């Protein structure tokens, strides 16, 4: 099936892109095209104008800035996967990226495109939610930095303003003690979208007690969610403590049923994967040399 007719424009700078997007409510951004091109071909998307942002100056690249790892929206997923700064400062993203699609899709797909697409099962949005990253958008009115809770508003739905686009994401770098991460997901085949996924990051102090912890769950409800496992702080984590904390935190998980899995299955697997991801993260942190 062929896409419905559309005009294609390649703006030279961000201001021009915002001007085109705000002048035409039927305009749509295209970046790596890995999700949008199949949707165009199946006529699930019929924009009047495609605005190609992939080569806009200043929208790609990875840098450390004011305690955050900043990733430009049009940075290819493979570039983030291979980045020494990501491996060093954002090990949770480094652990999640190999699960995003396949090498050919990561060669084209962008970090910002995955955030803007807002698939509830996508790995990059899950890491952004877990670490409470800041997602930055820009339109003719200027720049807006949003928390993931404000940015992700439903399945494939975001708070990107009309006439605007995602320009970067700022992941906080945990600077303190020994840090470990854990990432697990269940899908029909490797690299398919996850039925359920769990991402965890743990920081431990000199005495081996947990000093900071984050746990996120994806694929269960209409957007990735952060679970409150703050009860682990101050604790030396063992299996029982872990299961109790995850059980308590996952109690209110809002889960959906679909062709792939029931809500009950998703809730059960979320508890299991959540505990596994936390256990891996804690073990990895403990194994690290004292800073
Ligand atoms: C076979 C296959 C398997 C895949 N498996 C996975 C998977 O397991 N996990 C996963 O997370 N993803 C998966 N994907 C999707 C892939 O990661 C896409 O790259 C990603 O979803 C979209 O990024 P893109 O740059 O390709 O965006 P595009 O396809 O160009 O755009 C996607 C959407 O985002 C909007 N958009 C893009 N960039 C911006 C921006 N800067 N600002 C505002 N809006 C923007 C577009 O308008 C469009 O609505 C898979 C894709 C394929 C083809």
């Amino acid at each position: 099936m062929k896409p419905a007719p559309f005009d294609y424009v390649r703006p030279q700078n961000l201001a021009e892109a915002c001007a085109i997007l705000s002048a035409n409510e039927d305009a749509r951004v295209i970046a790596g095209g890995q999700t949008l091109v199949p949707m165009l071909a199946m006529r699930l998307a019929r924009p009047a104008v495609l605005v190609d942002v992939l080569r806009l100056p200043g929208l790609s690249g990875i840098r450390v800035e004011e305690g955050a790892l900043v990733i430009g929206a049009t940075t290819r997923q493979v570039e983030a996967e291979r980045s020494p700064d990501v491996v060093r400062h954002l090990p949770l993203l480094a652990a999640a990226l190999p699960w995003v699609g396949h090498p050919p899709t990561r060669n084209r797909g962008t970090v910002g495109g995955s955030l803007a697409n807002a698939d509830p099962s996508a790995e990059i949005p899950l890491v952004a939610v877990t670490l409470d990253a800041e997602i930055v958008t820009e339109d003719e009115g200027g720049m807006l930095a949003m928390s993931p809770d404000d940015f992700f508003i439903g399945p494939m739905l975001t708070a990107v303003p009309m006439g605007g686009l995602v320009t970067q994401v700022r992941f906080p770098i945990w600077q303190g003690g020994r840090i470990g991460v854990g990432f697990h997901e269940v899908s029909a085949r490797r690299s398919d979208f996850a039925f359920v996924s769990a991402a965890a990051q743990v920081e431990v102090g000199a005495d081996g007690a947990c000093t900071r912890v984050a746990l996120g769950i994806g694929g269960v409800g209409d957007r990735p969610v952060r679970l409150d496992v703050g009860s682990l702080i101050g604790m030396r984590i063992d299996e029982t403590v872990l299961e109790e904390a995850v059980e308590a935190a996952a109690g209110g998980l809002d889960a959906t049923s679909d062709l792939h899995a029931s809500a009950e299955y998703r809730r059960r697997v979320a508890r299991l994967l959540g505990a596994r991801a936390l256990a891996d993260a804690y073990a990895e942190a403990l194994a690290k040399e004292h800073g």
Side-chain angles (χ1 to χ4, degrees):
M1 190 160 180
K2 297 247 172 287
F6 57 82
D7 290 333
Y8 169 84
V9 291
R10 197 192 284 175
Q12 297 308 305
N13 54 53
L14 188 55
E16 191 189 338
C18 291
I20 298 166
L21 288 166
S22 54
N24 194 330
E25 63 182 32
D26 266 344
R28 188 102 172 235
V29 166
I30 188 162
Q34 296 303 293
T35 297
L36 189 52
V37 170
M39 287 173 70
L40 292 171
M42 292 184 279
R43 299 205 178 190
L44 295 171
R46 298 167 172 242
V49 185
L50 268 190
V51 183
D52 186 343
V53 301
L54 204 57
R55 294 168 196 77
L56 285 182
L59 252 63
S60 79
I62 299 168
R63 64 186 186 277
V64 175
E65 190 182 277
E66 294 164 12
L69 192 81
V70 181
I71 304 183
T74 58
T75 306
R76 307 275 192 182
Q77 294 158 6
V78 67
E79 198 186 328
E81 189 181 357
R82 294 184 183 154
S83 154
D85 276 332
V86 169
V87 173
R88 179 155 170 239
H89 298 297
L90 207 50
L92 188 56
L93 185 64
L97 278 165
W99 294 89
V100 178
H102 311 270
T105 63
R106 295 199 293 276
N107 287 342
R108 298 278 319 165
T110 64
V111 170
S114 178
L115 292 166
N117 190 48
D119 188 302
S121 298
E123 290 81 2
I124 298 171
L126 172 59
V127 174
V129 166
T130 305
L131 297 179
D132 207 13
E134 258 189 343
I135 302 169
V136 181
T137 63
E138 198 148 340
D139 62 6
E140 286 188 314
M143 208 187 254
L144 182 63
M146 283 180 252
S147 76
D149 299 346
D150 294 335
F151 182 82
F152 296 111
I153 54 178
M156 317 308 216
L157 288 176
T158 71
V160 173
M162 162 61 197
L165 69 159
V166 176
T167 53
Q168 59 175 235
V169 53
R170 306 174 69 86
F171 291 93
I173 300 173
W174 290 20
Q175 314 270 7
R178 296 173 286 164
I179 289 165
V181 299
F183 188 89
H184 286 275
E185 74 174 44
V186 170
S187 55
R189 294 167 304 182
R190 168 87 203 205
S191 288
D192 275 3
F193 277 93
F195 298 151
V196 182
S197 49
Q201 186 156 312
V202 170
E203 182 190 85
V204 297
D207 60 357
C210 173
T211 48
R212 193 172 177 186
V213 60
L215 174 66
I217 297 289
V220 171
D222 67 358
R223 69 199 79 177
V225 290
R226 219 176 21 260
L227 295 188
D228 178 5
V229 284
S231 61
L232 294 171
I233 291 177
M235 311 278 277
R236 290 185 63 89
I237 299 176
D238 61 26
E239 213 174 312
T240 319
V241 167
L242 204 50
E243 274 167 21
E244 281 166 9
V246 173
E247 198 61 40
L253 256 183
D254 198 6
T256 46
S257 291
D258 59 18
L259 275 181
H260 303 294
S262 70
E264 188 33 46
Y265 168 85
R266 286 195 158 98
R267 268 191 284 270
R268 186 157 45 81
V269 175
R271 287 196 290 272
L272 281 172
L273 296 189
R276 265 186 218 157
L278 281 168
D280 289 0
Y282 183 61
E284 189 181 86
L286 278 186
K288 292 243 170 96
E289 290 292 316
H290 290 270

